[in-house]
Amino acid sequence: MPALLIFFSNTGPAKIPLAMLVVFVSAKLMAELFERLNQPGIVGEILAGVLIGPSVLGWMAPNEFLSALADLGAMFLLFRVGLEVKSSELMKVGGTATLVACSGVIVPFLMGWAILLLWGAPSHEAIFVGASMVATSVGITAQVLSAKGLLHTISSKIILAAAVIDDVLGLLVLAVVSSLTHGKLNVPELALTALMAVAFTVIVAKWGTHTMGRVVPHVNEKLRVAEAHFAFAMSLLFALSLMAVYTGVAAIVGAFLAGLAMAESTGERVRDLSRGVAELLVPFFLAGIGLHVDLSAFSRPATALLALAILAAAIVSKFIGCGLGAWSLGKTDALRVGVGMIPRGEVGMVVAQIGLGFGIIRQDVYGVVVFMSVASTIVAPPLIKIAYRKLLESGPVETAEEAFRLG
Amino acid sequence: MPALLIFFSNTGPAKIPLAMLVVFVSAKLMAELFERLNQPGIVGEILAGVLIGPSVLGWMAPNEFLSALADLGAMFLLFRVGLEVKSSELMKVGGTATLVACSGVIVPFLMGWAILLLWGAPSHEAIFVGASMVATSVGITAQVLSAKGLLHTISSKIILAAAVIDDVLGLLVLAVVSSLTHGKLNVPELALTALMAVAFTVIVAKWGTHTMGRVVPHVNEKLRVAEAHFAFAMSLLFALSLMAVYTGVAAIVGAFLAGLAMAESTGERVRDLSRGVAELLVPFFLAGIGLHVDLSAFSRPATALLALAILAAAIVSKFIGCGLGAWSLGKTDALRVGVGMIPRGEVGMVVAQIGLGFGIIRQDVYGVVVFMSVASTIVAPPLIKIAYRKLLESGPVETAEEAFRLG
């Protein structure tokens, strides 16, 4: 290439299309490969991130642009899932979901904490690793369930509701743990945090649908700007995501609530348009999880052993904790809820990063938590497919579900 | 807000939803306002950027994330415009378009250069400012024409074809100017640059449609991944955008060529999905242009005068240069082509930035070029509406156009 051309490409215009091309195409190729192997395409997309990431090929490293696209991808994924669900139906399963979320927080925390102590880690580090095992990354499960048309089953609704509650609990665990490791626990502040997060979530879930049912017809009628309904949906999505962050929960919880609020007042047009954005950006969310894997954590046998133990604990603890919480639904659905809550994805990494920033989690233990987050996310989709096998085999899902619930 | 919450929002999760909310909502609100004033919504979206930008409210400053979204928005805008046009029809108007592009490059360059010399600027600076006035930002015109359903008129096709040629010419002018101001002009290298840019553009425009006509049916048939056709379209979009950058032209030219190549083999589904992405991201492209405005250039009367002179020259020179090039089509269409080529948008800014980086353009003159780029972009849409008034008033456009061309 002549020097002049190198000069032009070095000024940066190649950066965006290059990153888009490498991440998107490798994610889609791996998804295609996995579909052909009869495995979930989503696992292929996450592994694409591992493959092109620093540990293997080194084509891409996590950067600000890619992580922004990943965040947006997760928001659109959850927004679209919210659009498919009625909030009244989530409210109905609220009791069971709370039970699932609580036992699904306690069991993983205790197992992670105990394993680290047995491994000989300082107690603060053990507490932080326990905290990083608490929160489910609902995006992965939601994507699998949505792709297979399974969002309308009772177990799916419990998984979604429990994941939202789980996020609030995760916030509180992180707040308590951060305060404890700094030696001071401010109880009034903690109570206020809890109150704000719960109030935001409950208010939007409870009155969002009704409010949107009254507002949306005016949007379509009165606004002159093109695709006004879509523009309004996007505005609500970003506004609730931002409010979610301000009240302490994850942006994707706000995105999910935005979808939920608009589920009954949104037509095909807005669904198709937002689907386009999701189709483009979700691969960045999935591959972005894989990009963070750092296999150098496995260079020391002791660390490798810890990583495997923590991974096993992450899987077993959510399966048991959440499965027990959903026991009242019968074995089949309890099993589905149990596997559906396994993926930790980006949530575990965020907690570990905060611990790393405090100097409480050491670099190799951080690598272990990242490995656990990614591996639990990769393991879950095939397990979900197995747990829902009966429904998937028996033809059109809604009918099958009806038959199943009645029989 | 309790300290704990501030801590969480400072770790960064608010950044993405906040930026999305502020830019998107202000762009859409201003678009709505302008539509109600019977002005083009696109102007409102650009002015929204000026309004929230550093010069007025200071809510947002240009940053890497926003500029990446703006780049993507421009790519999707041009991709979608490409989807609406047949490359064979662009080829047919190639002769006139080349004439339009050439005279539309020469006249603005000479006027910009002369004004700077009269103003007493050093000759290298004058040359660079001339170069920054050369290239049209086709995105703005394309958006206006596409929103009004005018892409199928003969003048629209000439504008699109001329803008692509114009981009190649702009590359050459920038290369020559950069070499000249550094004292050495490497003619063989320059010829190679020209050859690569022209070869890429012509090859894709000429054989892209045919190739896609053979490839796309296999994509739909053989791939198992969901929305395979859309995934393929996105891959082509990013691949051609990247190749465009490598051959020296703008990424959006590659995006336009990708749309062109797929125009005849793409159904409604892919159009709807990519429309969703465009609806989300184009406001970031438009507001992003406005964000760059720095009104401090107007603090000195001499600079303010220069800015107004350069703006007037930018408008008049493209209007005359391109209008003359299209004179063979008759007065009405020549006028349409003339106003359609006025917007400079992001292209002028890029050239000025390079000049700034070389230390050839001074800060205040840089501000003048940015002002010219943004203001010419804001002035154009109302002029385009006026130039196409006859067609817009006479009902369904395709029929009106037919009647018009026959009558």
Side-chain angles (χ1 to χ4, degrees):
Chain A
M1 198 161 39
L4 203 69
L5 294 182
I6 291 174
F7 159 69
F8 281 116
S9 64
N10 278 353
T11 54
K15 191 189 158 191
I16 307 293
L18 184 64
M20 299 298 289
L21 183 70
V22 170
V23 177
F24 187 85
V25 170
S26 52
K28 286 299 165 190
L29 285 179
M30 287 288 282
E32 177 68 24
L33 179 69
F34 271 66
E35 294 282 349
R36 281 172 188 248
L37 297 172
N38 214 14
Q39 295 298 314
I42 192 171
V43 176
E45 301 197 34
I46 300 169
L47 285 176
V50 180
L51 194 67
I52 62 175
S55 278
V56 188
L57 293 174
W59 290 355
M60 280 282 148
N63 64 42
E64 210 192 320
F65 170 59
L66 287 179
S67 95
L69 288 192
D71 287 359
L72 283 176
M75 281 162 59
F76 274 90
L77 169 54
L78 269 293
F79 176 69
R80 283 191 46 76
V81 169
L83 281 180
E84 302 304 317
V85 185
K86 282 189 180 169
S87 65
S88 55
E89 294 181 358
L90 284 193
M91 288 295 191
K92 263 187 240 158
V93 297
T96 314
T98 308
L99 208 61
V100 168
C102 290
S103 63
V105 159
I106 295 167
V107 182
F109 179 81
L110 292 178
M111 282 184 83
W113 175 65
I115 289 174
L116 262 278
L117 286 184
L118 284 176
W119 194 65
S123 86
H124 280 174
E125 191 175 46
I127 291 176
F128 242 95
V129 171
S132 75
M133 291 173 68
V134 153
T136 292
S137 164
V138 65
I140 302 298
T141 302
Q143 172 76 352
V144 176
L145 295 174
S146 149
K148 302 281 176 201
L150 292 167
L151 280 176
H152 297 275
T153 64
I154 179 105
S155 46
S156 299
K157 284 171 203 151
I158 289 181
I159 291 170
L160 291 175
V164 170
I165 301 167
D166 176 294
D167 198 85
V168 177
L169 294 176
L171 160 76
L172 294 181
V173 170
L174 180 58
V176 172
V177 162
S178 302
S179 313
L180 276 182
T181 51
H182 282 81
K184 48 180 172 1
L185 188 61
N186 186 335
V187 176
E189 191 174 297
L190 209 63
L192 187 60
T193 305
L195 189 71
M196 279 181 66
V198 171
F200 169 72
T201 312
V202 169
I203 289 172
V204 178
K206 203 160 169 61
W207 287 287
T209 309
H210 179 73
T211 312
M212 285 307 120
R214 300 191 64 151
V215 172
V216 170
H218 293 284
V219 167
N220 291 331
E221 204 178 292
K222 298 248 171 85
L223 293 187
R224 298 197 196 168
V225 77
E227 305 284 4
H229 192 166
F230 179 71
F232 179 77
M234 294 297 100
S235 307
L236 186 75
L237 164 59
F238 301 135
L240 290 186
S241 301
L242 184 64
M243 284 175 68
V245 173
Y246 282 151
T247 57
V249 287
I252 57 168
V253 170
F256 176 68
L257 292 173
L260 217 54
M262 295 205 73
E264 286 170 42
S265 47
T266 296
E268 278 310 308
R269 181 72 183 159
V270 171
R271 283 169 208 269
D272 281 349
L273 294 177
S274 59
R275 166 124 202 193
V277 183
E279 284 292 326
L280 175 68
L281 295 183
V282 170
F284 290 85
F285 164 58
L286 299 174
I289 293 174
L291 268 187
H292 282 90
V293 167
D294 179 2
L295 294 176
S296 66
F298 285 80
S299 52
R300 276 183 58 221
T303 319
L305 202 70
L306 177 67
L308 293 177
I310 286 288
L311 173 61
I315 295 169
V316 171
S317 63
K318 273 282 176 190
F319 181 70
I320 294 177
C322 298
L324 283 180
W327 197 252
S328 61
L329 300 169
K331 216 178 71 181
T332 317
D333 278 326
L335 189 138
R336 289 176 183 161
V337 171
V339 297
M341 299 290 285
I342 290 175
R344 299 307 199 286
E346 73 295 352
V347 198
M349 294 191 227
V350 169
V351 177
Q353 250 155 16
I354 292 175
L356 193 68
F358 286 170
I360 290 171
I361 288 191
R362 285 162 296 173
Q363 191 65 45
D364 56 344
V365 175
Y366 173 72
V368 167
V369 174
V370 170
F371 171 76
M372 175 277 292
S373 304
V374 178
S376 66
T377 305
I378 291 172
V379 164
L383 294 179
I384 296 170
K385 260 181 93 173
I386 294 172
Y388 282 90
R389 194 181 39 210
K390 247 189 196 164
L391 281 184
L392 290 171
E393 279 167 0
S394 55
V397 172
E398 256 122 326
T399 328
E401 165 71 2
E402 286 301 313
F404 180 70
R405 304 256 18 115
L406 295 171
Chain B
M1 196 162 40
L4 202 68
L5 293 184
I6 291 175
F7 160 70
F8 282 116
S9 63
N10 277 354
T11 54
K15 192 189 158 191
I16 307 291
L18 184 64
M20 299 299 290
L21 183 70
V22 171
V23 176
F24 187 85
V25 170
S26 52
K28 286 299 164 189
L29 286 179
M30 287 288 282
E32 177 69 23
L33 178 70
F34 271 65
E35 293 282 349
R36 280 172 188 250
L37 298 172
N38 215 15
Q39 293 299 312
I42 193 171
V43 175
E45 301 197 33
I46 300 170
L47 284 177
V50 180
L51 194 67
I52 62 175
S55 278
V56 188
L57 294 174
W59 291 354
M60 281 281 148
N63 64 41
E64 209 193 320
F65 170 60
L66 288 178
S67 96
L69 288 192
D71 287 358
L72 283 176
M75 281 163 57
F76 274 89
L77 168 54
L78 270 291
F79 175 69
R80 284 193 45 76
V81 169
L83 281 180
E84 303 303 316
V85 185
K86 283 188 180 172
S87 64
S88 55
E89 293 180 357
L90 285 193
M91 288 294 188
K92 263 187 239 157
V93 298
T96 314
T98 307
L99 207 62
V100 168
C102 289
S103 63
V105 159
I106 295 168
V107 181
F109 179 82
L110 292 179
M111 282 183 84
W113 175 64
I115 290 176
L116 262 279
L117 285 185
L118 285 175
W119 195 66
S123 87
H124 281 174
E125 191 175 48
I127 290 176
F128 242 96
V129 171
S132 76
M133 291 173 67
V134 154
T136 293
S137 163
V138 66
I140 303 298
T141 303
Q143 172 77 350
V144 176
L145 295 175
S146 148
K148 301 282 176 201
L150 292 167
L151 280 176
H152 298 275
T153 63
I154 179 103
S155 46
S156 299
K157 283 171 203 154
I158 289 181
I159 291 171
L160 291 174
V164 170
I165 302 168
D166 175 294
D167 198 85
V168 176
L169 293 176
L171 160 76
L172 295 180
V173 170
L174 180 58
V176 172
V177 162
S178 303
S179 312
L180 274 182
T181 50
H182 283 81
K184 48 180 175 354
L185 189 61
N186 185 337
V187 176
E189 192 175 296
L190 209 64
L192 187 60
T193 305
L195 189 71
M196 279 181 66
V198 172
F200 169 73
T201 313
V202 170
I203 289 173
V204 178
K206 204 160 167 62
W207 286 287
T209 310
H210 179 74
T211 311
M212 286 305 120
R214 300 190 63 151
V215 171
V216 169
H218 294 284
V219 167
N220 291 333
E221 204 179 290
K222 298 249 171 86
L223 293 187
R224 297 197 196 168
V225 77
E227 306 284 3
H229 191 164
F230 179 71
F232 179 78
M234 294 298 100
S235 307
L236 186 75
L237 164 59
F238 301 134
L240 289 186
S241 300
L242 184 64
M243 285 176 68
V245 173
Y246 282 150
T247 59
V249 287
I252 56 169
V253 170
F256 176 67
L257 292 173
L260 217 54
M262 296 206 70
E264 288 171 42
S265 47
T266 296
E268 277 311 308
R269 180 72 184 160
V270 171
R271 283 167 209 270
D272 281 348
L273 295 177
S274 58
R275 166 127 199 188
V277 183
E279 284 292 327
L280 175 68
L281 295 182
V282 169
F284 290 84
F285 165 59
L286 299 174
I289 293 175
L291 269 188
H292 284 90
V293 167
D294 179 2
L295 294 176
S296 66
F298 285 81
S299 52
R300 277 183 55 219
T303 318
L305 203 69
L306 178 67
L308 293 177
I310 285 288
L311 174 62
I315 295 168
V316 171
S317 63
K318 273 281 177 190
F319 182 70
I320 293 178
C322 298
L324 283 181
W327 198 250
S328 61
L329 300 169
K331 217 178 70 182
T332 317
D333 278 327
L335 189 137
R336 289 173 184 164
V337 171
V339 296
M341 299 289 285
I342 289 175
R344 298 306 198 286
E346 74 295 352
V347 198
M349 293 190 227
V350 169
V351 176
Q353 251 156 15
I354 293 174
L356 193 69
F358 286 168
I360 290 172
I361 288 190
R362 287 164 293 173
Q363 191 66 45
D364 56 344
V365 175
Y366 173 73
V368 166
V369 174
V370 170
F371 171 76
M372 174 278 293
S373 302
V374 178
S376 66
T377 305
I378 290 171
V379 164
L383 295 179
I384 295 171
K385 260 182 94 175
I386 296 171
Y388 282 89
R389 194 181 39 210
K390 246 190 197 165
L391 280 184
L392 290 172
E393 279 167 1
S394 55
V397 172
E398 255 123 325
T399 329
E401 164 73 359
E402 286 302 312
F404 179 71
R405 304 247 30 106
L406 295 171

